[in-house]
Amino acid sequence: MHGRLKIKTTAEQAAEKKKEREEKQKLYLAGLSKRASGTYDEECLKTTAQLLAANPDATTLWNIRREALLAGKSEDEESWSEVLQGELKMIVACLGKNHKSYGAWHHRCWVMENFPNPPWAAEVKLCDNYLKLDERNFHCWDYRRFVVAGSKQQPEDELKASQQLIEHNLSNYSAWHYRSKLLPLVHPPPATSPHPVAEQALIKELQMVVEAVFTDPSDQSPWFFLRWLVGRQEKGPRLLQVGYIHTQGEAGKLVCVFSQPVPQSAVPETTVDGVNGGAPLCWWAPDKSVYSRVWAADLSLPLDKEHSINLSQTGQPTRSLMVGQGVARALEWVANMEVCGEELSDTTRSTLEEVKENCTTLDELDPDNKWVMLTLVHVLWALDSRAHLPAILHYLAQLQTLDPLRHNYYADMKSKLVMETALRKHRVTEVDGDKFHVCGQDLTRVTHSHLLATTDCVDLSNNSLSSISSLCNLIACKELTLDQNEIQNLSPLSALAALQHLSVANNKIADIKQLSCLQSLTNLRHLNLKNNPVCEMEDSETRIRELLPGLQTLILR
Amino acid sequence: MGSHPKDVEITDEHPKSLLLQKHADYILSYTKKKEDYEYTMTEHFRMSGMYWGLTAMDILSQLDKMSRTEVVEFIRQCQDAESGGFSPSLGHDPHLLFTLSAVQILVMLEATEEVSVEGVVRYVSSLQNEDGSFSGDKWGEVDTRFSFCAVACLALLKRLESLNLDKAVEFVMRCQNVDGGFGTRPGSESHAGQIYCCLGLLSIAGQLHQVNGDLLGWWLCERQLPSGGLNGRPEKLPDVCYSWWVLASLSMLGRLHWINSAKMRLFIMATQDPETGGFTDRPGDMVDLYHTLFGLAGLSLLGETGLKEINPVFCMPQYIMTRLGISVQIVSP
């Protein structure tokens, strides 16, 4: 039903179509009645073949046909093979009508599965031919994978085939895709490698794809492949941080932060002061989801003495957390946040540097090519995002102008980079203690908020934030400043029980109902709502104070 | 930047605003012309056609114009007593695709008690394979579309415990590619329609965290062409149905703002046929129910006034999901 041009039909054409339809209807009904009476004869095969050649998407007809074939199946292998050979020919006729028919391609698989000795090699050839007709036909590609698996063809051979298709047309995304599936099979990377394929192959592929993009830099397919090659393999989830924070008096929270979302069962076994059989800790995720990067448990520890908390994970050394007498918090970083570039070997680094040089040259030759710029962003990010920060931000800003359709994507990527860099600085220097701020950086989203789960003072003022859903992870935060953003909805803050100061001046909070989510924050004493539409409302002060009776300071103007 | 040989041009002559009543009239007249060539030639997917038409009418707030009795009676007749599955129309064989369409309609019309729910559950769970995948019917074709059909079906009937959801998720994750997308089977190329199905399944299962939202979100927003329309794979023509598959996927990933919605809206508007009503795949082609639903559903996701809010996972009006108490996972960017 795709790509049918609208054409006016004459009365004559309409009459002809009507006749044609009636013929088909008659045939169809004949087929059905044969099936109902169990008469799977030659006539039945003939009728279904005729109908399917005109409409290969009619699944039921294929089913009737298979039933008829099975009913007439001969014990003699040779004659059965002959029947199935005939079937392969019949399918070719149907593919002539529609080479993207699900039913026809599936029937072909069924035929091959029923062959005593399937003609695999011939079918690989058939795929070659159909891919010449339409190199992106994903039905044929899927069928190719099926026959390649059946024929036990080596992935090396298929890698060569993909190479040929790419050489024939660089825009063949399907062939690049096939290559991305084959390479890790033929050149598997070592288990600990951050790269998707073994180093030698990686370097060779990078050279090949750089050559391709030089041939035609406006072709998008090779750029997708290049992005994959320079990207890093995601590691499994790791425990990054454990911490204990007194939030008020003796009440406190035990927090575990992971690099990837994990279920509650992944949280280490915990003992407090050597007691195993005490009341079990009740772990919860800030966003209430089943998988989370942050897991917390409420735990009250008397301030007048020292405490030790042991966390043990199977296959990992036991972590001990000492909470000193009268101390507000105890944190331990188990692992570092992943830093791009650190794990690169010298060989890969120099290859990436080469890609960078080549792209820089291309950027000079073809200054408005977004693919070149975007690749530079990824390569620089992979090499060392901190050192290349100004250059990456520059390219992203240019991309926003050059490719306005995806303006917000580039803005969000900028935000990610800014957050990543700020968090790394925050971790390394700890000049500000547990204060974290990113102000006036045009942030459109807050990524990595799990790394702020134990931070008690966060300032994200003067950005472009409209959604703050990820801030639910700030479970230890006492002071949160979000002035001068575009926030309308405060509900993600409703579980930040430690919050005492909240400043959201100059935002877009228009409805007093938005503030009811702050009712659950029993420690909230100071609220700055200055210059929000809600302040213009009649009796706003009285109504807000009624809603939040615990407030000491309320700034509306 | 390179030119886009595979795109279309939107001119001043194309409609710019929503021809709401025209579409309702088109859908209504479609169901009335049972002798029409078009109508008979679509018999082999009639059940889905009904779902497209009814859902579109509901988004247009005109569901009351359709005959509930007639529809329910048709669906009742299409349930296969032996297997429990639904066929597209009488005389055709049951299949997961039409079983989901039937269940969607029944849920929409609050008529699930009119059929054998046990039969549906039996049929759907019988089609799950050892590796977690689903066959579309007893003839064994495997496709991630069928995984979605199965899981969505039982989620709507609140009978998810009757299939192995963990295994279903495991299979879908095996179909993920290096570009972050998903294909029909392990090894298959990413395709926006399959991505929608896989993300929908993961959303129902609460497993969207397994997807790299930045990577896949980028691939999805790269589907937008200068005309504003979206294609389903790189270097392909835009098609209005992808305004649903891609937009719904981006919604689940919390990244709908990564495409330009003003241009997207213009493209969808241009695929309306002001003569007949209904939407086409591309401006100038023939209208059909399929593109009419997905055009309207895409506009609803973009917040078009006059249309009911749609659920990005089930492609059904949100009020129905609220009524059922079914919530889906949407990740934050």
Side-chain angles (χ1 to χ4, degrees):
Chain A
M1 297 216 302
H2 289 84
R4 288 188 312 162
L5 267 177
K6 190 178 170 184
I7 304 160
K8 301 247 185 256
T9 41
T10 61
E12 198 182 328
Q13 282 168 320
E16 209 169 289
K17 274 202 165 178
K18 192 171 176 228
K19 205 176 137 205
E20 190 187 309
R21 187 198 89 205
E22 279 164 4
E23 291 283 312
K24 278 184 193 155
Q25 192 74 8
K26 229 188 277 166
L27 275 175
Y28 187 70
L29 289 174
L32 277 186
S33 73
K34 291 242 175 205
R35 180 197 217 180
S37 60
T39 335
Y40 294 116
D41 52 9
E42 272 306 310
E43 190 61 31
C44 179
L45 287 171
K46 216 178 118 194
T47 312
T48 51
Q50 219 175 326
L51 286 164
L52 283 165
N55 183 8
D57 288 322
T59 313
T60 304
L61 288 168
W62 287 114
N63 297 346
I64 298 176
R65 193 166 177 85
R66 281 187 284 265
E67 284 164 9
L69 288 167
L70 288 173
K73 181 177 173 178
S74 147
E75 286 304 315
D76 175 40
E77 276 197 3
E78 208 169 308
S79 51
W80 178 231
S81 293
E82 223 168 275
V83 170
L84 294 174
Q85 277 295 353
E87 232 20 47
L88 291 180
K89 280 201 195 103
M90 178 264 170
I91 297 166
V92 167
C94 296
L95 289 174
K97 172 80 184 172
N98 176 10
H99 64 282
K100 293 178 180 175
S101 161
Y102 283 100
W105 286 106
H106 174 242
H107 189 58
R108 207 164 182 93
C109 293
W110 181 86
V111 170
M112 291 299 280
E113 278 164 349
N114 278 276
F115 252 110
N117 291 301
W120 296 115
E123 291 302 289
V124 177
K125 283 227 169 66
L126 174 123
C127 290
D128 285 339
N129 289 334
Y130 273 95
L131 289 178
K132 269 181 202 143
L133 207 68
D134 175 2
E135 60 191 10
R136 301 295 305 283
N137 183 346
F138 71 83
H139 303 272
C140 183
W141 276 105
D142 280 349
Y143 184 66
R144 183 182 187 104
R145 277 179 277 272
F146 167 78
V147 291
V148 162
S151 69
K152 310 238 165 21
Q153 185 136 335
Q154 293 307 306
E156 284 84 351
D157 296 333
E158 286 298 286
L159 201 56
K160 272 184 211 137
S162 78
Q163 176 98 30
Q164 279 166 4
L165 285 164
I166 289 167
E167 278 164 9
H168 177 69
N169 180 6
L170 288 176
S171 302
N172 190 344
Y173 189 91
S174 305
W176 288 103
H177 159 79
Y178 198 29
R179 205 162 174 80
S180 78
K181 288 283 169 193
L182 294 164
L183 277 170
L185 294 178
V186 180
H187 306 286
T192 53
S193 166
H195 308 298
V197 291
E199 196 163 58
Q200 277 308 313
L202 177 75
I203 292 165
K204 242 179 94 190
E205 288 299 305
L206 278 172
Q207 284 160 347
M208 192 268 277
V209 71
V210 164
E211 219 168 280
V213 297
F214 260 92
T215 313
D216 185 358
S218 65
D219 238 327
Q220 45 179 296
S221 299
W223 292 110
F224 280 93
F225 188 74
L226 181 52
R227 175 173 176 166
W228 167 60
L229 287 178
V230 301
R232 296 147 39 92
Q233 293 295 93
E234 259 181 57
K235 285 187 187 163
R238 292 168 308 140
L239 181 64
L240 292 179
Q241 188 195 27
V242 292
Y244 178 78
I245 307 121
H246 278 293
T247 44
Q248 201 196 15
E250 291 184 350
K253 283 188 184 80
L254 190 57
V255 183
C256 288
V257 178
F258 295 84
S259 62
Q260 298 290 328
V262 295
Q264 198 221 301
S265 57
V267 175
E269 288 269 331
T270 311
T271 56
V272 180
D273 294 334
V275 182
N276 212 345
L281 290 171
C282 187
W283 293 96
W284 46 269
D287 64 354
K288 314 261 182 303
S289 60
V290 182
Y291 290 80
S292 176
R293 287 188 173 91
V294 178
W295 285 97
D298 297 314
L299 175 66
S300 291
L301 294 177
L303 286 160
D304 58 358
K305 57 176 188 176
E306 207 179 64
H307 303 278
S308 77
I309 302 170
N310 283 338
L311 299 108
S312 55
Q313 265 177 310
T314 28
Q316 300 283 329
T318 300
R319 301 272 159 198
S320 287
L321 194 63
M322 298 305 294
V323 187
Q325 190 182 341
V327 163
R329 57 180 54 230
L331 302 177
E332 193 197 343
W333 288 91
V334 178
N336 275 324
M337 174 183 164
E338 283 169 37
V339 182
C340 292
E342 276 185 354
E343 302 137 286
L344 297 178
S345 74
D346 290 345
T347 341
T348 318
R349 176 173 292 280
S350 62
T351 312
L352 282 179
E353 290 284 354
E354 235 171 88
V355 176
K356 183 188 116 188
E357 292 310 315
N358 282 318
C359 286
T360 314
T361 312
L362 263 183
D363 189 37
E364 281 156 15
L365 292 170
D366 187 4
D368 285 343
N369 187 314
K370 82 163 204 183
W371 299 99
V372 176
M373 268 183 233
L374 193 53
T375 306
L376 273 167
V377 167
H378 292 303
V379 173
L380 294 177
W381 206 314
L383 277 167
D384 185 344
S385 61
R386 219 183 327 177
H388 295 300
L389 180 67
I392 302 176
L393 290 177
H394 164 78
Y395 284 125
L396 284 171
Q398 263 192 290
L399 281 162
Q400 281 183 304
T401 326
L402 201 62
D403 186 18
L405 289 178
R406 281 157 282 273
H407 180 278
N408 295 338
Y409 165 72
Y410 301 119
D412 277 357
M413 292 319 280
K414 258 162 75 179
S415 303
K416 187 182 190 175
L417 184 62
V418 167
M419 278 301 289
E420 234 180 69
T421 317
L423 278 161
R424 235 171 258 147
K425 246 189 254 171
H426 176 64
R427 286 281 330 287
V428 176
T429 68
E430 299 215 358
V431 168
D432 294 326
D434 46 13
K435 291 186 172 60
F436 177 82
H437 59 92
V438 172
C439 301
Q441 305 260 359
D442 223 6
L443 282 190
T444 49
R445 61 170 173 171
V446 186
T447 59
H448 306 86
S449 66
H450 58 291
L451 297 173
L452 296 170
T454 54
T455 308
D456 69 0
C457 183
V458 175
D459 185 352
L460 300 170
S461 296
N462 201 8
N463 284 302
S464 308
L465 297 172
S466 53
S467 162
I468 51 168
S469 48
S470 66
L471 295 188
C472 64
N473 281 334
L474 271 53
I475 50 174
C477 186
K478 290 177 176 157
E479 195 177 330
L480 179 60
T481 312
L482 299 166
D483 297 348
Q484 200 77 48
N485 276 291
E486 286 158 36
I487 301 163
Q488 294 182 11
N489 179 0
L490 293 174
S491 58
L493 308 181
S494 64
L496 306 189
L499 212 57
Q500 295 169 2
H501 291 254
L502 174 64
S503 187
V504 282
N506 294 302
N507 274 287
K508 293 183 173 167
I509 300 153
D511 193 347
I512 195 154
K513 281 188 208 131
Q514 279 303 324
L515 301 172
S516 57
C517 64
L518 304 179
Q519 284 180 300
S520 53
L521 307 182
T522 50
N523 291 313
L524 188 67
R525 296 290 172 267
H526 311 279
L527 177 63
N528 183 356
L529 275 171
K530 204 171 148 178
N531 280 339
N532 275 284
V534 72
C535 306
E536 304 305 317
M537 208 178 52
E538 214 176 303
D539 296 336
S540 54
E541 171 140 19
T542 327
R543 290 179 64 187
I544 295 169
R545 284 214 179 263
E546 260 170 36
L547 196 68
L548 305 166
L551 287 183
Q552 286 167 8
T553 357
L554 171 65
I555 305 172
L556 295 175
R557 272 168 203 99
Chain B
M1 210 190 321
S3 58
H4 279 267
K6 295 210 166 148
D7 199 2
V8 295
E9 208 183 324
I10 310 286
T11 68
D12 289 344
E13 277 155 42
H14 291 116
K16 298 279 178 270
S17 60
L18 185 59
L19 311 170
L20 202 140
Q21 197 47 49
K22 279 257 171 204
H23 301 314
D25 294 345
Y26 160 70
I27 296 165
L28 208 57
S29 70
Y30 187 94
T31 58
K32 298 256 159 77
K33 283 188 284 188
K34 296 204 167 61
E35 284 310 302
D36 211 60
Y37 178 73
E38 196 69 28
Y39 192 85
T40 13
M41 283 317 283
T42 56
E43 204 180 87
H44 63 282
F45 56 84
R46 170 76 22 88
M47 188 67 80
S48 294
M50 277 193 155
Y51 154 73
W52 300 328
L54 289 161
T55 310
M57 284 301 260
D58 201 356
I59 306 177
L60 292 165
S61 300
Q62 305 199 27
L63 188 58
D64 54 337
K65 292 193 179 152
M66 309 291 267
S67 163
R68 183 183 188 275
T69 341
E70 204 178 295
V71 170
V72 173
E73 185 48 32
F74 172 80
I75 297 178
R76 262 172 26 81
Q77 287 173 4
C78 288
Q79 185 167 30
D80 177 45
E82 195 190 320
S83 67
F86 288 88
S87 64
S89 46
L90 277 179
H92 289 257
D93 291 347
H95 195 283
L96 261 182
L97 286 171
F98 311 111
T99 304
L100 174 62
S101 294
V103 169
Q104 283 171 310
I105 301 171
L106 291 168
V107 161
M108 204 158 25
L109 300 179
E110 295 185 276
T112 44
E113 74 285 354
E114 303 276 347
V115 300
S116 161
V117 170
E118 286 312 316
V120 181
V121 174
R122 189 177 70 236
Y123 182 69
V124 172
S125 48
S126 76
L127 290 171
Q128 187 164 26
N129 302 309
E130 197 67 8
D131 62 358
S133 68
F134 282 84
S135 301
D137 62 13
K138 66 174 182 179
W139 295 99
E141 186 184 6
V142 168
D143 189 316
T144 45
R145 286 181 304 151
F146 308 149
S147 296
F148 173 74
C149 289
V151 169
C153 222
L154 294 202
L156 286 170
L157 296 172
K158 302 198 170 172
R159 294 294 297 276
L160 268 181
E161 76 287 348
S162 301
L163 51 77
N164 189 336
L165 192 56
D166 290 344
K167 274 270 178 194
V169 168
E170 208 180 293
F171 176 77
V172 158
M173 289 312 296
R174 283 179 52 213
C175 299
Q176 198 176 24
N177 295 316
V178 301
D179 52 23
F182 296 84
T184 43
R185 290 184 278 279
S188 306
E189 181 183 342
S190 299
H191 179 291
Q194 313 289 147
I195 292 172
Y196 162 82
C197 290
C198 294
L199 290 184
L201 186 149
L202 293 172
S203 169
I204 293 170
Q207 295 274 347
L208 278 177
H209 70 274
Q210 297 209 42
V211 175
N212 179 341
D214 277 351
L215 182 65
L216 178 52
W218 173 65
W219 190 91
L220 287 165
C221 76
E222 278 294 341
R223 300 302 104 243
Q224 190 165 35
L225 301 168
S227 66
L230 304 173
N231 59 18
R233 293 190 285 157
E235 325 246 16
K236 290 289 210 174
L237 279 168
D239 180 327
V240 94
C241 67
Y242 294 113
S243 55
W244 173 255
W245 310 123
V246 175
L247 294 184
S249 299
L250 282 169
S251 295
M252 292 182 234
L253 295 175
R255 286 164 173 83
L256 189 55
H257 61 290
W258 281 9
I259 56 118
N260 183 317
S261 54
K263 291 212 81 171
M264 172 85 262
R265 182 176 176 276
L266 274 182
F267 178 86
I268 303 180
M269 289 301 180
T271 61
Q272 301 176 97
D273 189 325
E275 276 175 37
T276 57
F279 291 71
T280 69
D281 55 353
R282 282 179 282 282
D285 284 354
M286 295 264 278
V287 298
D288 57 52
L289 287 177
Y290 173 86
H291 290 96
T292 302
L293 170 64
F294 294 125
L296 289 169
L299 288 173
S300 167
L301 273 187
L302 297 176
E304 184 74 22
T305 45
L307 298 179
K308 281 188 193 164
E309 185 190 344
I310 192 134
N311 181 287
V313 174
F314 290 96
C315 194
M316 290 164 70
Q318 179 54 41
Y319 80 92
I320 291 168
M321 309 317 296
T322 313
R323 183 170 77 196
L324 285 171
I326 295 177
S327 59
V328 296
Q329 187 189 15
I330 303 287
V331 295
S332 65

